[in-house]
Structure formats: structure tokens, C-alpha cells
Amino acid sequence: MRIIGLALAMALTAPLALANPVDSSTAKKMLFSTRGGEAIMGKADFIDAGVAKALKQAASQIPYYGAIAVSPGEPTSSNLMSTMANFHSAEAAASAALANCNSRRTSGKPCVVITTIVPKKYKQQPLTLSAGATTLFNKEYRKLKAPKALAISPTTGNFGSDRGDGGRAISKCAAASNGASDCRVVIFDN
């Protein structure tokens, strides 16, 4: 029963997957300002109040969506704190931070996410983009003449945009991701 409850909670907090790309005007309504993020602290009783305060302050300098993971019990001298940022969802950032942290862990327990960075005034949307992709959308993509597309890699956080039917945007995304195979068009304008 507890596993079902956890799965349900994760499903309710995950961004909705878009079956089809949206156009620029629809995307603009879903995206957030790129002016800083805010930290959501996880339940980590091994983190003292001073460290928690410092993490919240640092979050304003970390591009959303981001996550910070640590291994409980790892010696503090190991400097093992994995910070991953500029992903297209909090879930993707958390997954990357955990994978990075656990790959470097030498002792202690498996890593846990202690902080998640989301945009200010965050609320769940069907389309979420990293701060970098949102900046590209606002400053470059919207100025392109149609047809045009913006593609993202959910696992790497990379992205690309170009004129055309989406093929070049996917190619730019894949190139930025060292060949990621999960690049997909999320914004398309005819």
C-alpha cells in the first residue's frame, strides 16, 4: 500500500507529458520567469539549520530546474555534494543529481536529494523548460520565422531550435547532448 501511495504522489507532482508539441503562444503561457529560482528543502534530518539556510540562499544562483544530492554518512571532507541544474523538470534534475552523487560515493548510505530548485512562483504545467531553454525561447526562438521548432532532451537538459519541421532542432539538441537519443520537439509553429 505504501508503494502505491508513493507512486501516486510522484505521478501527481511530475509534469504532464505532452503528446503533441504546442505553439509559441501556448508555450509562453506555461513558462516561468528566468529570474532566479527557489529551493524546496527535502527531509534530511542530518542537515543542520545553517547548511539548510546556505542551500536556500545558493538556490537563487542555480538555474532551475535543479537538485542537490548528498550521501548521508559520507565524510564531509570528501566534498561530495552533487549539484545538477538547468534541466527541463525537477524530476530529471533529481535523477541526474542522484546518479552523479552515487557514482562518486565511497562510503555512507545511498545519496538522497536534499534540495530541489524550481522557478519562483512554480506551479505544475504541461510544458516545463529549463532556465536556459526558456531564455532561448524568449530571446531567439520567438524571433524566428515559421515554420520553426524547439526540441529538448529530458534526460540531459539540452535543447536546440531552428527553422523547419523540427529535424534541425532535434539535430541541434542531439549535438548539444553528445548524441542523446531522447530529443523531441516540444514547441512547433507552422
Coordinates of all heavy atoms in Angstrom, one line a residue, residues 39 41 47 50-60 62 68 81 114-115 117:
A39 N 14.4 27.3 -3.5 CA 14.8 26.0 -3.0 C 13.6 25.4 -2.3 O 13.0 26.0 -1.5 CB 16.0 26.0 -2.1
M41 N 13.3 22.4 0.2 CA 14.2 21.5 1.0 C 13.5 20.2 1.2 O 12.3 20.1 1.5 CB 14.5 22.2 2.4 CG 15.2 23.5 2.3 SD 16.8 23.4 1.5 CE 17.7 22.3 2.6
I47 N 21.0 17.3 8.0 CA 21.5 18.6 7.6 C 21.1 19.6 8.6 O 19.9 19.7 9.0 CB 20.8 19.0 6.2 CG1 21.1 18.0 5.1 CG2 21.2 20.4 5.8 CD1 22.6 18.0 4.7
G50 N 22.0 25.7 9.6 CA 22.9 26.6 8.9 C 23.2 26.2 7.5 O 23.2 27.0 6.6
V51 N 23.4 24.9 7.3 CA 23.6 24.4 5.9 C 22.3 24.6 5.1 O 22.3 25.0 4.0 CB 24.0 22.9 6.0 CG1 24.0 22.3 4.6 CG2 25.4 22.8 6.6
A52 N 21.1 24.3 5.7 CA 19.8 24.5 5.0 C 19.7 25.9 4.6 O 19.2 26.2 3.5 CB 18.7 24.0 5.9
K53 N 20.0 26.8 5.5 CA 19.9 28.3 5.1 C 20.8 28.6 4.0 O 20.4 29.3 3.0 CB 20.2 29.1 6.3 CG 20.1 30.6 6.1 CD 20.4 31.4 7.3 CE 20.3 32.9 7.0 NZ 20.5 33.7 8.2
A54 N 22.1 28.1 4.0 CA 23.0 28.4 2.9 C 22.5 27.8 1.6 O 22.7 28.4 0.5 CB 24.4 27.8 3.3
L55 N 21.9 26.6 1.6 CA 21.4 26.0 0.4 C 20.3 26.8 -0.2 O 20.2 27.0 -1.4 CB 20.9 24.5 0.7 CG 22.0 23.5 0.9 CD1 21.4 22.2 1.4 CD2 22.9 23.3 -0.3
K56 N 19.4 27.3 0.7 CA 18.3 28.1 0.2 C 18.8 29.4 -0.5 O 18.3 29.8 -1.5 CB 17.3 28.5 1.3 CG 16.4 27.4 1.7 CD 15.3 27.8 2.6 CE 14.3 26.7 2.8 NZ 13.1 27.1 3.4
Q57 N 19.9 30.0 0.1 CA 20.4 31.2 -0.5 C 21.1 30.9 -1.8 O 21.0 31.6 -2.8 CB 21.4 31.9 0.5 CG 20.7 32.5 1.7 CD 21.7 33.0 2.7 OE1 22.9 32.6 2.7 NE2 21.3 33.9 3.6
A58 N 21.8 29.8 -1.9 CA 22.5 29.4 -3.1 C 21.6 29.1 -4.2 O 21.9 29.3 -5.4 CB 23.4 28.2 -2.8
A59 N 20.4 28.6 -3.9 CA 19.4 28.3 -4.9 C 19.1 29.4 -5.9 O 18.8 29.2 -7.0 CB 18.1 27.7 -4.3
S60 N 19.2 30.6 -5.4 CA 18.8 31.8 -6.2 C 19.9 31.9 -7.3 O 19.7 32.6 -8.3 CB 18.7 33.0 -5.4 OG 20.0 33.4 -4.8
I62 N 21.4 29.2 -8.8 CA 21.3 27.9 -9.5 C 20.2 27.9 -10.5 O 19.0 28.1 -10.1 CB 21.2 26.7 -8.6 CG1 22.4 26.6 -7.7 CG2 21.1 25.4 -9.4 CD1 22.3 25.6 -6.5
I68 N 20.1 19.1 -5.6 CA 21.4 18.9 -4.8 C 21.2 17.6 -4.1 O 20.2 17.4 -3.3 CB 21.7 20.0 -3.9 CG1 21.8 21.3 -4.6 CG2 22.9 19.7 -3.0 CD1 21.9 22.6 -3.8
M81 N 29.0 16.6 -2.8 CA 27.7 17.2 -2.9 C 27.4 17.4 -4.4 O 28.2 18.1 -5.1 CB 27.6 18.5 -2.2 CG 26.2 19.2 -2.3 SD 26.1 20.7 -1.4 CE 26.0 20.2 0.3
I114 N 18.5 16.6 -1.3 CA 18.2 17.4 -0.1 C 17.6 18.7 -0.5 O 16.9 19.4 0.3 CB 19.4 17.6 0.8 CG1 20.6 18.3 0.0 CG2 19.8 16.3 1.4 CD1 21.7 18.7 0.8
T115 N 17.8 19.1 -1.8 CA 17.2 20.4 -2.2 C 16.8 20.3 -3.7 O 17.6 19.7 -4.5 CB 18.2 21.5 -2.1 OG1 18.7 21.6 -0.8 CG2 17.6 22.9 -2.5
I117 N 15.5 22.8 -6.9 CA 15.4 24.2 -7.3 C 14.3 24.3 -8.4 O 14.4 23.6 -9.4 CB 16.7 24.8 -7.8 CG1 17.7 24.8 -6.7 CG2 16.5 26.2 -8.3 CD1 18.6 23.7 -6.6

